[in-house]
Amino acid sequence: MAQGKVDRAGQNEKKRRRSPWALLGRGLLGLAALLLLAGGGAFAWLKSTSGAQRSGAVKVAGVSGPVTVTRDAWGVPHIRAATDADAVYALGFVHWQDRAWQMDFQRRVAQGRLSEVLGGAALEQDRFLRTWGFGRAAEAALPALSAQSRALIRAYTAGVNAAQAQRKTALEFRILGYTPEPWQDVDSVSWSKLMAFDLGGNYEEEVLGAQVVRALGEDGLNQVTAPYPAGGPTILSADELTGAAQSLTGAVSSGTDGTQGGSQVAPPQEPGLPQETVQALRSHLLAARALGMQAVPGKGSNDWVIAGSRTASGKPILADDPHLGLTAPMLWYLADVQGDRLKAIGASIPGLPAIVIGRNDRVAWGVTNVNPDVQDLYVEPEGTPLTSRTEVIRVKGQPDVTLTVRSSAHGPIISDAGARTVGPRVALKWTALQGGDTTMDAFLGLNYAQNWADFTGALRSYVAPSQNFVYADVDGNTGHYAPGRVPIRSGWDGSLPVSGDGSREWRGFIPFEQLPHTLNPADGLVVTANNQVVPGPGSRALGNDRNWAEPYRAQRITDLLSAAGKLTVPDVQRVQLDTTSLVWADLRWPLLATRPGSDRARQALEQLRAWDGNETTGSVPATLFEAWLMQLQEMARDELGTDTVMNSLSVLNQLRGADGSGELCAVNGQGDCAALLTRTLDAALTDLEGRLGPDMKTWTYGRLHTVASNHRAFGNVKALAWLFNHSAPTPGGTNTVNVARPEHGTFRQTHGPSYRQVVDLANPNDSVFIGSLGQDGNPLGAHAADQQPRWIAGEYLPMSTDQADWGRVNTLTLKP
């Protein structure tokens, strides 16, 4: 086992050296020297040519009248315009001013055009992106949008291009030596396709499932990925489902038991996949991970809505903190956008012409990922008709690369990568790649919603990625809806690749009225944390029993909110920031029963015995626990021959095996869970000693656990990383409410609450929000990272449309 770890470490090191962003450092050192010059003149020149104009007046083409952009003390723009089109125009203008590189990078990802500017190091990413066809899907979605949405997108595009015309050059463009192309309307749709990939589907689970079944049989699926526990908290109870959603179980014929329309049928044999095909499919996973898009244990989000019956004010409070990859610049851009009818404030995404999460003058909303199963892998039989197209990938400094992409009626053949013509052809079917995606209509519609009817009317257009939307309004109503296209499967649960012979086809989508939703639930509380949405068989209409996040966050949030009496905004903030681990509460007794193999292990167990489970930066037990858990999460690797990381619930189930010994505890067929616990504790301590030195008393959590808000292109380029990356110690851990799961092998926090908001419907201007880093994408800007210390400390900014709350301001006027 030790030799295996050494081998894997060597392999990881080779991968790191070959990663696109590490290789990018070659050839950039000369340009990077510009940024290292000590002379104040060079710094001033770079700052003046890259920084946006934030005061005075600018004449622009495309607005019908003057528009003011008042940036507050934290760089948040408050846009005031006479028309909605002018307001959205100004949002496009400030997005490009502050996040030009991010916007261009995001659209290049969607288009599969990274190699044009990053060279051959990004070629595998482009192959993946072109094969899946994200850019083509965005082009197909644009014509399906409503006339109002297309008009607002056109206004946004005009604003972006007006900002481009100001000729301020982001440092990344200067370093890489290229000029970005004008913005196109389709660019505002394309990033939503990448978000759908990051947040929806179970492609990765199907690939893992194929490996598990080959090695362990179908019984191994529940061992490697634990099913949601019976009795675990669900977002909605059976009596909270509203209207037609009460018949959710009628939306499908059945699940995995072989029934179909009430009659028993013999389920077809699921086709196995040879190892070379699995490796070809995994090549896409590796490419996606290099782009920061990956499924990680504990990745998710929290949101909840509290009715006035539970609050001190008598009006609802709504909270949201979406957990996504933490990057520099941060994903979100805080903004306040007001035209004649549009009155929205909250978190936008540069490139999208809407407030994605936030409130207007009457309604507030938040989102978390539902993660229904909306992807299926189809093993196409021999002779299946295929179409093909040719993609030409331009590579900086190298000849063009020609890629042939084949498709079946189900979707693109994604097994061609690496395996080419080897083995069966595997196609991907996914709701986000199908035509008629009107998700942008939904988000723009939410910005205008004045009541529950408007809100749900907007959500009818929602396609992907399916989200738990929580709702509150100034009249005191609260609700929840989980919209999106969810396939109806008959006689199979979608957890494994299936035959493309026609026996496993989708039977349409769950009707909107039957999707989970509720209005004004009797208990006055809806909590979502990526947990199972509804109880009982109805949940299988959305995905198999292994589809949901572990119950720990949902349980902790519910417990804290239920114990606090009449709730206030500060009470809700404290819940968002909670770092007490229910994972430790479950694992405590199995771990403390470990037979220590050394004096060092006895000392560690004594530290853990006295620990309350609070994962603070000054805690030594938090370091010991997370390091030990990392070792335990690898227990399936010898059986599967992969780098699989099990979640904490799966680990718990093995340690609590009915006979006292989970099957995966054995190493190469030898030993039991007791031996595994002794061995993994020692391995964790050896690892920590190598990182932190021999004195266990100094192994405080914050020495290892630091947020890694790294640049998407230069994060691993030593000559530039110091300027673009941002790191600091952070509290929280695996499945704490304040999610801060240590990255396996590095202990860095790479995912977490990318944005937080708490909306007070009693007085909306008393609401608060915060981002994970800062407004400015320019690393030399004053607002590049000024929110990060507040975000770590649990502080917030005023989510207010009242200028009295904005502090020192700068006002820029856009004039026709």
Side-chain angles (χ1 to χ4, degrees):
M1 191 168 182
Q3 181 60 44
K5 289 192 175 184
V6 171
D7 291 344
R8 286 195 297 272
Q11 291 166 5
N12 290 338
E13 176 62 17
K14 290 178 182 177
K15 288 179 183 177
R16 187 191 67 78
R17 289 198 300 263
R18 292 198 302 264
S19 69
W21 319 133
L23 293 173
L24 182 62
R26 297 175 182 176
L28 292 179
L29 293 180
L31 289 170
L34 288 172
L35 304 178
L36 300 174
L37 292 175
F43 179 85
W45 174 77
L46 284 172
K47 189 172 183 179
S48 66
T49 57
S50 60
Q53 180 179 345
R54 291 181 168 82
S55 60
V58 176
K59 289 185 178 181
V60 295
V63 292
S64 61
V67 182
T68 60
V69 178
T70 302
R71 284 179 170 87
D72 64 21
W74 303 276
V76 177
H78 300 268
I79 296 168
R80 301 293 181 265
T83 69
D84 292 351
D86 284 355
V88 171
Y89 177 105
L91 181 63
F93 191 92
V94 298
H95 274 171
W96 188 264
Q97 277 191 309
D98 291 339
R99 302 289 187 86
W101 159 256
Q102 179 184 21
M103 292 172 68
D104 190 65
F105 183 84
Q106 287 175 175
R107 67 172 164 176
R108 285 186 176 277
V109 171
Q111 296 166 355
R113 295 177 57 200
L114 292 172
S115 299
E116 292 181 15
V117 297
L118 300 179
L123 184 56
E124 288 309 307
Q125 284 68 48
D126 281 348
R127 290 184 192 274
F128 152 64
L129 296 162
R130 298 284 188 100
T131 299
W132 283 54
F134 296 103
R136 291 168 59 86
E139 291 172 358
L142 186 60
L145 299 178
S146 69
Q148 172 180 276
S149 295
R150 292 198 303 271
L152 290 175
I153 290 171
R154 284 195 297 272
Y156 181 87
T157 296
V160 173
N161 289 330
Q164 279 197 38
Q166 301 303 304
R167 300 189 183 281
K168 296 288 186 177
T169 305
L171 290 180
E172 291 92 339
F173 299 143
R174 194 179 302 281
I175 292 170
L176 292 172
Y178 79 96
T179 300
E181 300 165 357
W183 195 257
Q184 304 290 333
D185 289 355
V186 70
D187 297 333
S188 291
V189 182
S190 61
W191 185 245
S192 67
K193 297 297 180 182
L194 273 300
M195 292 297 293
F197 176 86
D198 200 29
L199 295 174
N202 78 327
Y203 159 67
E204 185 161 355
E205 287 80 0
E206 287 194 37
V207 175
L208 174 61
Q211 295 172 295
V212 170
V213 169
R214 186 190 313 108
L216 303 173
E218 290 200 21
D219 290 344
L221 289 172
N222 286 346
Q223 295 188 61
V224 177
T225 307
Y228 197 76
T234 57
I235 294 172
L236 302 179
S237 59
D239 61 336
E240 286 176 338
L241 292 170
T242 301
Q246 293 172 337
S247 62
L248 179 64
T249 53
V252 292
S253 298
S254 190
T256 60
D257 58 0
T259 60
Q260 189 172 30
S263 61
Q264 194 75 16
V265 297
Q269 182 74 28
E270 307 297 9
L273 294 178
Q275 182 63 22
E276 60 267 26
T277 302
V278 171
Q279 290 305 315
L281 295 173
R282 280 181 54 81
S283 72
H284 290 295
L285 297 177
L286 297 175
R289 289 173 184 174
L291 293 167
M293 297 182 294
Q294 63 192 103
V296 294
K299 178 182 178 181
S301 306
N302 309 316
D303 68 6
W304 59 87
V305 61
I306 309 162
S309 59
R310 287 174 170 262
T311 69
S313 71
K315 287 295 180 79
I317 298 174
L318 183 147
D320 189 15
D321 53 296
H323 306 155
L324 297 167
L326 302 174
T327 60
M330 66 182 186
L331 171 68
W332 303 101
Y333 183 89
L334 312 187
D336 168 16
V337 187
Q338 299 199 19
D340 54 338
R341 292 193 306 123
L342 180 62
K343 313 285 183 185
I345 181 172
S348 67
I349 295 177
L352 303 184
I355 297 299
V356 177
I357 303 171
R359 68 172 181 87
N360 58 30
D361 51 350
R362 289 190 52 80
V363 164
W365 67 95
V367 300
T368 65
N369 199 24
V370 178
N371 195 35
D373 185 355
V374 295
Q375 293 176 346
D376 278 308
L377 296 180
Y378 284 89
V379 182
E380 303 291 10
E382 286 294 328
T384 297
L386 301 178
T387 61
S388 64
R389 70 178 189 271
T390 300
E391 298 272 352
V392 178
I393 303 174
R394 290 189 292 163
V395 184
K396 183 177 181 180
Q398 298 179 25
D400 293 349
V401 173
T402 300
L403 176 69
T404 299
V405 179
R406 301 186 295 173
S407 298
S408 72
H410 293 114
I413 303 296
I414 59 174
S415 58
D416 279 352
R420 301 295 183 257
T421 59
V422 175
R425 297 165 178 82
V426 181
L428 170 79
K429 188 172 185 177
W430 180 25
T431 55
L433 295 183
Q434 298 180 336
D437 187 345
T438 51
T439 302
M440 186 66 74
D441 283 341
F443 275 118
L444 287 168
L446 293 179
N447 283 230
Y448 287 95
Q450 298 294 292
N451 49 47
W452 178 251
D454 291 348
F455 183 76
T456 56
L459 292 181
R460 283 184 177 274
S461 300
Y462 201 93
V463 175
S466 181
Q467 300 287 291
N468 290 296
F469 282 84
V470 291
Y471 167 93
D473 64 35
V474 294
D475 295 326
N477 298 299
T478 61
H480 164 276
Y481 221 112
R485 286 185 189 165
V486 180
I488 297 174
R489 299 177 180 86
S490 187
W492 52 296
D493 69 1
S495 61
L496 292 170
V498 295
S499 173
D501 63 3
S503 64
R504 298 298 209 190
E505 299 302 324
W506 295 354
R507 309 295 177 98
F509 303 103
I510 299 177
F512 181 77
E513 292 78 11
Q514 291 185 344
L515 292 167
H517 65 278
T518 193
L519 177 65
N520 294 324
D523 68 354
L525 181 64
V526 177
V527 172
T528 91
N530 315 113
N531 53 315
Q532 186 171 304
V533 183
V534 296
S539 68
R540 297 188 188 119
L542 305 175
N544 67 73
D545 291 341
R546 298 178 298 278
N547 224 53
W548 318 111
E550 299 148 276
Y552 297 110
R553 286 182 287 118
Q555 188 64 62
R556 179 66 175 170
I557 293 166
T558 302
D559 291 346
L560 291 173
L561 293 176
S562 299
K566 294 292 186 178
L567 293 158
T568 64
V569 168
D571 292 330
V572 173
Q573 291 172 336
R574 283 190 286 273
V575 176
Q576 277 192 335
L577 302 168
D578 183 75
T579 54
T580 295
S581 172
L582 291 191
V583 179
W584 165 246
D586 261 0
L587 284 171
R588 173 185 173 89
W589 294 114
L591 297 189
L592 292 181
T594 298
R595 297 190 299 268
S598 63
D599 288 340
R600 182 180 62 173
R602 290 187 189 89
Q603 182 184 351
L605 289 169
E606 287 307 307
Q607 289 265 4
L608 288 167
R609 202 175 306 280
W611 185 41
D612 62 0
N614 194 3
E615 300 200 48
T616 62
T617 56
S619 170
V620 171
T623 309
L624 297 171
F625 170 61
E626 292 288 0
W628 195 357
L629 180 58
M630 276 187 197
Q631 296 289 331
L632 291 167
Q633 288 174 318
E634 297 181 2
M635 68 170 69
R637 290 187 172 185
D638 59 313
E639 286 86 359
L640 300 181
T642 69
D643 58 355
T644 298
V645 175
M646 292 167 53
N647 66 26
S648 49
L649 186 61
S650 302
V651 170
L652 176 68
N653 286 352
Q654 290 296 306
L655 299 182
R656 284 182 173 177
D659 61 355
S661 177
E663 291 180 32
L664 299 180
C665 288
V667 178
N668 297 321
Q670 301 296 316
D672 56 15
C673 288
L676 178 74
L677 285 166
T678 300
R679 183 172 58 254
T680 52
L681 174 57
D682 188 62
L685 297 175
T686 299
D687 180 40
L688 290 174
E689 185 170 323
R691 296 172 188 269
L692 300 174
D695 187 354
M696 189 180 298
K697 294 191 296 294
T698 69
W699 294 359
T700 52
Y701 194 46
R703 288 185 63 193
L704 275 183
H705 188 254
T706 58
V707 64
S709 289
N710 289 355
H711 194 269
R712 298 283 295 280
F714 301 149
N716 291 326
V717 179
K718 289 184 179 180
L720 298 171
W722 66 273
L723 178 63
F724 288 95
N725 292 351
H726 298 274
S727 181
T730 49
T734 301
N735 291 332
T736 55
V737 176
N738 184 1
V739 167
R741 183 192 70 90
E743 182 181 56
H744 206 85
T746 72
F747 290 88
R748 302 179 309 169
Q749 181 187 354
T750 59
H751 295 75
S754 54
Y755 165 76
R756 297 188 183 110
Q757 71 174 24
V758 181
V759 182
D760 184 358
L761 277 301
N763 184 355
N765 278 341
D766 286 342
S767 306
V768 294
F769 59 179
I770 189 78
S772 63
L773 196 60
Q775 290 287 97
D776 203 337
N778 182 352
L780 305 178
H783 301 298
D786 58 339
Q787 291 179 49
Q788 187 183 68
R790 294 176 171 87
W791 174 78
I792 293 172
E795 300 171 1
Y796 296 74
L797 308 181
M799 190 184 187
S800 174
T801 60
D802 184 348
Q803 187 165 347
D805 297 324
W806 298 349
R808 185 177 179 179
V809 300
N810 290 294
T811 299
L812 175 70
T813 302
L814 305 180
K815 293 184 175 182

